[in-house]
Amino acid sequence: MKQIYFLAALLVGCTFTTQAQNTVEVDANATFVGFANVFELPVNGGAYAFGSGWGVEDLKTTVDPGAGTITLQPNFNTYADNPTDPYWVNQTTGEGNKIFEGNTYVEDNTLVGSELTFNGRCTSYTMDGAYTVMAFIKVFNSDFSVVKIEEVALVEGANFSVVYTNVEGPDAVVQYGFYVSGVNANPADEGTLGSVVVTAPSLGLNDNETVNAVAYPNPTNTVWNVTSQEVVKTITLYNILGAKVQTMEVNTTSIAISTDELASGIYLAHVATDIGVKTIKLIKQ
């Protein structure tokens, strides 16, 4: 789902512009693309080997429109298809011989030239700790003279929000999605290496209790003060119907949100930090 809106100056002490904003969410009905970046193992120098388009299923990504989920796993097909090739498999140890970064993403160049937020939720995280799994937004020029990336880690049971504001000109490509990075894996280990499952964001009130954020006074008719033990990156405000009201970019532990432009009622604030997202119920009197 994509929404276009304009920021209002509701955050006390911060400056806002009228830069157009786009918000996208995890959507299992979207058209996903696969791309692989392959590197040498760190013990072999870690150099970049090559990059190429890759089948989404070959990345071991399962897109399930019916369930509304995307399941991410380590790559197995390079090992399975080439068990005797020393390029892909160490013939002495039997271990994979490359770092495989499997990217599963949506490419949408109608998003070029505006700021972008990518929201979703991680419902399950059983991936082995040897692998890195991130949500990302990538923006780059067609000749790769400029490459800009924003990414966040995924936390089981928590919403996530990737925010991109470093807008590039019209000669650009915009991608948003996920990557799994780690040693290309033996298919025999698939059951033990685990997976990560993502879906659309939830407006539930218990997104991530590990984020220590509170709001006061609440109810209020003037201002909510949001404080957090972690640095807050963004606050996204929704009305009770789930419609986005505002997204605020911040980089602090204490934020004051004016209610002057808001109608009386109930709102949900998604408070995003580096360790996850907490949703707080706010009441405007």
Side-chain angles (χ1 to χ4, degrees):
M1 179 178 67
K2 181 165 64 178
Q3 299 173 349
I4 301 177
Y5 58 99
F6 293 90
L7 290 178
L10 297 183
L11 182 61
V12 174
C14 293
T15 302
F16 295 91
T17 69
T18 56
Q19 172 71 50
Q21 302 285 308
N22 287 293
T23 297
V24 292
E25 297 181 348
V26 174
D27 181 1
N29 289 287
T31 300
F32 284 90
V33 179
F35 193 91
N37 288 308
V38 177
F39 304 82
E40 299 296 336
L41 295 178
V43 297
N44 295 328
Y48 182 71
F50 70 90
S52 69
W54 216 268
V56 171
E57 293 182 354
D58 290 332
L59 293 175
K60 286 301 292 186
T61 297
T62 302
V63 180
D64 187 340
T69 60
I70 299 167
T71 301
L72 307 162
Q73 293 181 265
N75 169 262
F76 299 109
N77 79 313
T78 52
Y79 189 119
D81 294 344
N82 308 279
T84 62
D85 185 346
Y87 183 86
W88 290 110
V89 180
N90 185 311
Q91 299 299 298
T92 301
T93 65
E95 300 294 327
N97 201 38
K98 290 292 182 287
I99 296 296
F100 190 100
E101 180 195 275
N103 295 266
T104 302
Y105 59 88
V106 175
E107 184 170 300
D108 185 352
N109 291 334
T110 67
L111 302 171
V112 170
S114 66
E115 297 177 358
L116 179 63
T117 299
F118 173 37
N119 294 325
R121 184 175 182 84
C122 176
T123 60
S124 174
Y125 197 121
T126 61
M127 185 84 74
D128 186 277
Y131 292 86
T132 300
V133 186
M134 305 288 281
F136 68 79
I137 296 173
K138 296 181 183 179
V139 178
F140 52 89
N141 285 9
S142 57
D143 62 358
F144 295 97
S145 60
V146 176
V147 180
K148 302 174 181 179
I149 303 174
E150 296 290 345
E151 58 186 33
V152 298
L154 303 176
V155 178
E156 184 174 74
N159 285 350
F160 67 83
S161 185
V162 188
V163 178
Y164 171 85
T165 60
N166 193 6
V167 176
E168 187 55 39
D171 176 28
V173 176
V174 175
Q175 299 171 349
Y176 60 90
F178 308 92
Y179 72 76
V180 179
S181 181
V183 176
N184 61 313
N186 187 333
D189 297 329
E190 181 173 356
T192 60
L193 291 178
S195 65
V196 175
V197 181
V198 293
T199 188
S202 167
L203 291 179
L205 299 181
N206 297 301
D207 291 337
N208 187 358
E209 294 304 326
T210 64
V211 177
N212 298 297
V214 297
Y216 65 92
N218 190 25
T220 186
N221 57 13
T222 55
V223 67
W224 293 296
N225 296 296
V226 178
T227 62
S228 172
Q229 293 184 18
E230 298 81 28
V231 173
V232 176
K233 300 298 185 180
T234 64
I235 296 179
T236 306
L237 201 63
Y238 297 83
N239 64 24
I240 196 61
L241 299 177
K244 189 187 301 294
V245 175
Q246 184 187 19
T247 295
M248 295 160 281
E249 286 189 87
V250 296
N251 192 35
T252 182
T253 59
S254 182
I255 306 98
I257 306 175
S258 171
T259 66
D260 289 348
E261 302 297 323
L262 301 177
S264 297
I266 297 174
Y267 296 86
L268 299 176
H270 284 198
V271 181
T273 73
D274 283 336
I275 68 169
V277 179
K278 183 171 184 177
T279 303
I280 302 175
K281 179 180 179 181
L282 301 175
I283 301 175
K284 164 67 182 295
Q285 290 180 324

